[in-house]
Amino acid sequence: MKICSLLLATALLAAATAAASAASSDDELAAPVLRASVTVSGDVVRIGDVIDNAGTSAQIAIYRAPDLGTTGTLPTAQLLSVLRAHQVIGVDTRDLREISVTRLARTLDAKDIELHVARALEHRNGLGDAANLGLTFDRDLQDLRLEASNTGAMQPSSVRFDSRSGRFDVTFDIANDSVSAPTRLRFTGTAIETVEAAVLARNVERNELIKSSDVVVERRPKAEVGADAATRERAVGMQARRQLRAGQALKAADLAKPDLVQRDQTVTLIYEAAGLYLTVRGKALDGGTEGDVVSVLNLQSKRTVSGTVIGRGQVAVSVATPRPAATADASSSPQPDQTASTPSDQTTAPVALAAGTTSPVAPKAE
């Protein structure tokens, strides 16, 4: 009886061991399954990238990866043929006709590269702020794609600039997670300092007023414009001192305050003194802006007088104020030079005349 029990136990143990071995074998021999999409970070595609349960064949390279940052496709039929060549059979395709393969990359925008170069050159050998630097690269600057393992920041390792020729040569190092040596990027070209300038959109004649629509703002080389570049706000409403051409960057020396009085213009002559305010019509013989002294023909007296431009079409003429007669001291003899008389061509009574009108009583003004 004991012998039967022992035999039964032995049989049960053997059956359990066989079942466990079979399960383990099933796990090891699980069918490979095709993946619908694949992402790789290197320059090759391996068997383990395209199928699950690749086993010992997972590290075998079978295709060159797509270009950095791009996606390619692999037809399923072609892929199965390659897999069979490496003894990978029985692949579950899940009825996929093709799979997509994407290669990871780090993209450096062209604008970011230009900004890094400008910052590296900032204040070097007389250059100004990075924001004011105009860069021209020897090769057209485009977006750059690097291996995804290049995770470090762009660190300038070599910066050279020749102020005479404007040439620059800048090298950056980027730390790489995969290798100890950094990735190096080199850029060469020319750099100039620029300033914002008011630029004419059309030709402007001498003494012509500059309107808002006549001016656009552009960046121009500082050496071209000079230190007295005019801003848009300063240029609009000003008068051209000389003939200016379209596309010309305006300088402060090109502009003047607008003439408030034009030559041959009918103006108002204003005579003002203590107790006197008189306005008459006149004809400007000169043009001038505020504060300028111009000659004006008094249309009433037909005499030419000089006055100061004080407003649009207005010229102020100074009038000599008569001195009051001196009062003689009772204890002294009167002196000849201590008396003054009122000139015959002046009046001491306030008179106001609108330009272009006449009055029976008017002072003789010049």
Side-chain angles (χ1 to χ4, degrees), residues 33-322:
V33 179
L34 190 64
R35 295 174 177 169
S37 60
V38 178
T39 301
V40 297
S41 58
D43 56 357
V44 296
V45 179
R46 305 178 189 278
I47 291 178
D49 294 326
V50 297
I51 63 172
D52 294 318
N53 306 322
T56 58
S57 302
Q59 296 303 313
I60 299 176
I62 54 175
Y63 285 105
R64 183 176 66 84
D67 292 337
L68 288 167
T70 64
T71 299
T73 59
L74 287 174
T76 300
Q78 178 185 348
L79 178 59
L80 291 177
S81 177
V82 173
L83 293 175
R84 280 195 296 268
H86 292 282
Q87 308 304 316
V88 179
I89 58 176
V91 178
D92 181 2
T93 64
R94 297 187 296 166
D95 295 328
L96 297 173
R97 294 187 177 183
E98 63 181 18
I99 68 171
S100 64
V101 181
T102 301
R103 185 176 178 183
L104 298 177
R106 176 186 177 183
T107 301
L108 300 177
D109 293 337
K111 290 184 178 180
D112 288 340
I113 295 173
E114 184 174 1
L115 179 59
H116 276 82
V117 174
R119 287 175 176 171
L121 295 171
E122 186 175 42
H123 301 153
R124 186 172 292 270
N125 292 348
L127 287 177
D129 296 339
N132 295 331
L133 299 184
L135 305 181
T136 302
F137 292 83
D138 291 338
R139 294 183 179 180
D140 289 340
L141 191 60
Q142 299 178 349
D143 295 348
L144 290 182
R145 290 188 175 94
L146 306 178
E147 294 284 356
S149 57
N150 291 282
T151 58
M154 292 180 63
Q155 299 290 345
S157 58
S158 173
V159 181
R160 294 193 293 271
F161 175 72
D162 187 340
S163 58
R164 291 174 298 179
S165 64
R167 297 283 304 170
F168 68 80
D169 188 334
V170 180
T171 300
F172 295 96
D173 284 353
I174 300 178
N176 192 310
D177 294 338
S178 300
V179 294
S180 59
T183 298
R184 289 194 168 177
L185 301 175
R186 181 184 177 190
F187 303 96
T188 59
T190 56
I192 58 173
E193 188 170 0
T194 64
V195 294
E196 282 192 349
V199 178
L200 285 176
R202 67 176 183 87
N203 294 333
V204 174
E205 299 299 323
R206 181 177 180 272
N207 294 332
E208 187 177 355
L209 289 180
I210 297 175
K211 303 185 293 294
S212 177
S213 59
D214 297 334
V215 181
V216 295
V217 177
E218 294 180 0
R219 280 205 164 270
R220 292 292 179 89
K222 185 176 180 180
E224 171 191 323
V225 178
D228 63 339
T231 63
R232 176 187 176 86
E233 291 73 18
R234 184 176 181 182
V236 174
M238 298 293 280
Q239 183 173 293
R241 290 183 181 272
R242 57 188 178 85
Q243 187 180 34
L244 303 173
R245 67 182 185 279
Q248 181 175 344
L250 293 173
K251 299 181 179 181
D254 297 328
L255 308 172
K257 291 181 180 179
D259 284 346
L260 299 179
V261 169
Q262 301 287 339
R263 181 181 174 87
D264 296 330
Q265 176 187 357
T266 299
V267 298
T268 300
L269 280 171
I270 301 174
Y271 296 87
E272 188 172 8
L276 170 67
Y277 185 87
L278 174 66
T279 61
V280 296
R281 288 195 305 167
K283 179 182 178 181
L285 303 180
D286 303 311
T289 187
E290 184 176 5
D292 287 349
V293 176
V294 296
S295 297
V296 181
L297 175 64
N298 186 325
L299 296 179
Q300 182 172 323
S301 65
K302 303 302 180 183
R303 292 189 177 184
T304 299
V305 296
S306 295
T308 304
V309 178
I310 61 173
R312 189 168 297 280
Q314 294 182 324
V315 179
V317 180
S318 299
V319 178
T321 304

